[in-house]
Amino acid sequence: MAPFSLKLLTFTLILTILITLPDSTLSFLFPVSFAISVIYALRYLYNEKWLYSLVLVFYITPFIYLFFPEDYLGQLYPLEYLFGFVKSNQEELKSLFTVGSLSLLNLLTLFGSSESGKIFINTNYIKSISKINSNILGIIGTLLLFLALPLTNNLAIIGGYVDSLNSTGAGVFLILSSALLVFNFTNAKYKALPLIYLLIFFAWGLLNGRRVEQLGILILLAYYFCRKYLLNESKKLNWYIAVTVLIALVPIVNIIFNFWGYYRIGEEFDWGRLTITTAPGIIYAIASTISLQKFGVSPDGDFFGNYILRFFGVPLEDFSSWVQEVNFTLGGMHIIAEPFMYYGTLGAILSSVILFLFMRFAEAADRIYKLILFTPVLIIMIPRYIWYGHIYALRTFQVFILLIAIIESYKFIRKIQKRGAL
């Protein structure tokens, strides 16, 4: 294994080359970087590294629309000027993707270990949760879910879609709910009851018009059952077959989620505007950010300063909301956009670094505490994090810090109790 200093030197050299290349060259390299990202996403998928694969898939998906014919792409947007933003900024979009995706791939390949990217990263787990404790965790997790997505927000099935996660409290409650329910499922001895609670999370989110976390739940469950029943030396072929079948099912899941996307806003499903869920809106949001930077328009504050303040509860305007106020968007904001607004092309690299460090943090926490918790929760939140911006990394990080504080407090109390028994 190459020493860390050599890896860092290699990474720095590659990034220096990417930064110095003109936009026209980076735009020309777009198909190559896209193809490499797809290859690595499939490679990670078949080699159990579903966290890495999921990150790459959601990172690159919105940019697939840059390959589509302009006539088709124009039909996806309700207003003509929306498509105009994408069309006029295609070269910048392609160059931005090239820098961001290649920097992310270099981080994954140079600094990832053989176990990195796997959801269940060790075998030295805590003792299985009893039925009673499992039921308590399930009830608490479900109550937190109802706090995050209450009836007063109007169920999509009866009243229309309302994005209640714009508030910090709702987002934290939802992530904490998913953390408790995932921990319950992955560590319980008997899986039936924890699975029911997890499916309640899935169904209640759908009824509230949510699709992103629900997709993460499906991926987590697919990984668990494939790994449990199909992954061993005698059944290795079955694992590859199962993964291939899951890939083949992706278009069907996408159609279902498209149908639910139309239904939640009270519109009929339109085959002519079938998309990869909200991906067209996200590529437009990035294009809108590029246009704003060209005109010298930028939000107040600083990227790092804003998130430090948000961590301590200072209510600042969300970047995606700010862009939407200036230029109407269809929702969503790729993680590459906000750092780019503040730091230009360097922001694309910074975004990849933050994403990679967050993944490593989750994996390290699972190893240190010998849990199956942080990485599975990140699996659920990755789709929202990448497609809706770094604010969801902050909220997930806040929940992780809270969980670590609870674990450390529990360990401290147990240590005091043991000393008292002596």
Side-chain angles (χ1 to χ4, degrees), residues 233-277:
E233 291 303 320
S234 62
K235 296 181 179 180
K236 197 72 174 179
L237 179 61
N238 292 351
W239 167 263
Y240 289 118
I241 292 173
V243 172
T244 304
V245 170
L246 288 173
I247 293 173
L249 289 175
V250 168
I252 298 175
V253 174
N254 183 59
I255 291 173
I256 295 172
F257 274 41
N258 263 265
F259 172 82
W260 192 247
Y262 279 103
Y263 183 75
R264 69 181 183 176
I265 59 175
E267 294 185 10
E268 291 187 10
F269 177 65
D270 184 357
W271 285 97
R273 292 178 61 194
L274 182 65
T275 66
I276 304 174
T277 60

Side-chain angles (χ1 to χ4, degrees), residues 84-100:
F85 273 114
V86 178
K87 185 177 180 180
S88 61
N89 292 294
Q90 283 214 27
E91 183 172 289
E92 290 85 353
L93 285 167
K94 290 176 179 178
S95 63
L96 196 59
F97 172 84
T98 301
V99 174

Side-chain angles (χ1 to χ4, degrees), residues 32-42 56 60 97 101-102 105:
V32 177
S33 58
F34 194 93
I36 293 173
S37 299
V38 171
I39 291 169
Y40 268 88
L42 290 172
L56 286 174
I60 68 178
F97 172 84
S101 63
L102 291 182
L105 278 169

Side-chain angles (χ1 to χ4, degrees), residues 62 77 278-287 330-334 386-388:
Y77 299 97
T278 56
I282 292 168
I283 194 67
Y284 161 73
I286 306 171
L330 303 175
M333 181 60 68
H334 196 282
I386 294 180
W387 280 14
Y388 288 80

Side-chain angles (χ1 to χ4, degrees), residues 197-240:
Y197 284 116
L198 207 54
L199 291 177
I200 290 173
F201 181 97
F202 178 85
W204 187 256
L206 281 181
L207 292 175
N208 277 271
R210 314 229 62 80
R211 297 179 295 175
V212 183
E213 295 83 15
Q214 279 53 45
L215 184 57
I217 290 286
L218 288 180
I219 293 169
L220 181 66
L221 290 177
Y223 179 89
Y224 172 79
F225 286 109
C226 286
R227 192 178 190 275
K228 180 175 176 62
Y229 297 109
L230 300 174
L231 188 60
N232 56 53
E233 291 303 320
S234 62
K235 296 181 179 180
K236 197 72 174 179
L237 179 61
N238 292 351
W239 167 263
Y240 289 118

